[in-house]
Amino acid sequence: MTDKSSATATITVTVDRFAGLALGALGVLAFSFSLPTTRLAVQELDPWFVAFGRAVGAALLAWGYLRLTGAPRPGRDQWRRLSIVALGVVVGFPLFTSLALTSQTATHGAVVVTVLPAMTAVFAVLRAGERPPLLFWVASLGGLLAVLAFLVTSGTVRGSLTTADLFLLAAVGLCGLGYAEGGALARELGGARTICWALLLSLPVTVPVTVAAAVLDPPRAGAAAWSAFGYLTAVSMFLGFFAWYAGLARGGIARVGQIQLAQPVLTLAWSALLLGESVTPASIAAALVVLACVVLIQRTRNSPLVPTAQMNR
């Protein structure tokens, strides 16, 4: 890692819708395990340790990657934007989901995560300057309603708004911000370097909290909880973002972000397999509707979702 200017730290990212879609789908697949594995981990480990400890472990992996690739340091403005990424995906989402899933199931968490694509699209407009056409919003709403209808009919929505729901809503809002800012910044730094620098930037916060959590409640857990923690560290917090941010940068944040509409259905499947939580047969119908909406979103090609100023970088 060398200290160079922001111009040196900027790389060329080619706009490629197909590659963006493929990379985004790979990222969603990786993230779809996050809620079930978080639920597994917090059943035996302190939620603060799970949230911040995984970020510390991922930061060590990030340091190794940046050293091996000789990545130049980001510029001043890029550091500022990286702090937004860190707030959203390194601190905010892991912390609030860990707190929520100490008392709620992963399937319940999937309900709230359904709104994440919409939040990502909103922040793509606010932070990345994208302007999706009307058909994009119609297809996005259709996919959102399909998944919500599936989750409601499957019986995962019960009762009134709880503290756990508020935690999940906070997680989704911060995550949408972190996705949009990170996807825009990945056009300059690349997907891998964006998450790596965000993880290192977070160390002054994540290390003290991890140590404090470990001292107050020494981590003791079985193989399943530690395996879940390992997945959250290596994949959810690290490798998954390599594909996800690269996909957002290449295919457009708002458009590729809508692939997340499939994430709640996948999360329910993994929750059933890993945690024994029930899933109804209606998932097949919901998955087909969501797939149709995602295909429609990908066909909204009349209005480019990547800002013109960014396309030639």
Side-chain angles (χ1 to χ4, degrees), residues 88-240:
V89 303
V90 179
V91 175
F93 187 80
L95 174 60
F96 287 115
T97 53
S98 295
L99 292 173
L101 294 178
T102 59
S103 59
Q104 275 293 358
T105 64
T107 53
H108 186 94
V111 177
V112 184
V113 171
T114 303
V115 304
L116 182 54
M119 292 299 299
T120 303
V122 169
F123 282 115
V125 172
L126 296 176
R127 299 295 306 172
E130 297 188 0
R131 294 295 183 270
L134 178 61
L135 181 60
F136 171 92
W137 294 108
V138 172
S140 299
L141 179 61
L144 173 62
L145 292 176
V147 177
L148 284 176
F150 161 61
L151 293 172
V152 170
T153 57
S154 68
T156 58
V157 179
R158 299 187 181 93
S160 59
L161 200 65
T162 65
T163 301
D165 292 319
L166 295 177
F167 284 148
L168 288 166
L169 287 171
V172 167
L174 289 170
C175 191
L177 173 62
Y179 279 176
E181 192 69 36
L185 190 54
R187 296 171 188 151
E188 303 173 17
L189 297 177
R193 283 162 51 186
T194 296
I195 188 59
C196 285
W197 285 117
L199 286 163
L200 292 184
L201 180 62
S202 304
L203 282 175
V205 174
T206 57
V207 169
V209 175
T210 301
V211 172
V215 170
L216 294 173
D217 186 5
R220 299 184 184 91
W226 281 118
S227 296
F229 181 82
Y231 183 89
L232 291 169
T233 300
V235 181
S236 293
M237 186 59 74
F238 185 61
L239 293 176

Side-chain angles (χ1 to χ4, degrees), residues 150 265 280-289:
F150 161 61
V265 178
T280 69
S283 59
I284 298 176
L288 291 175
V289 174

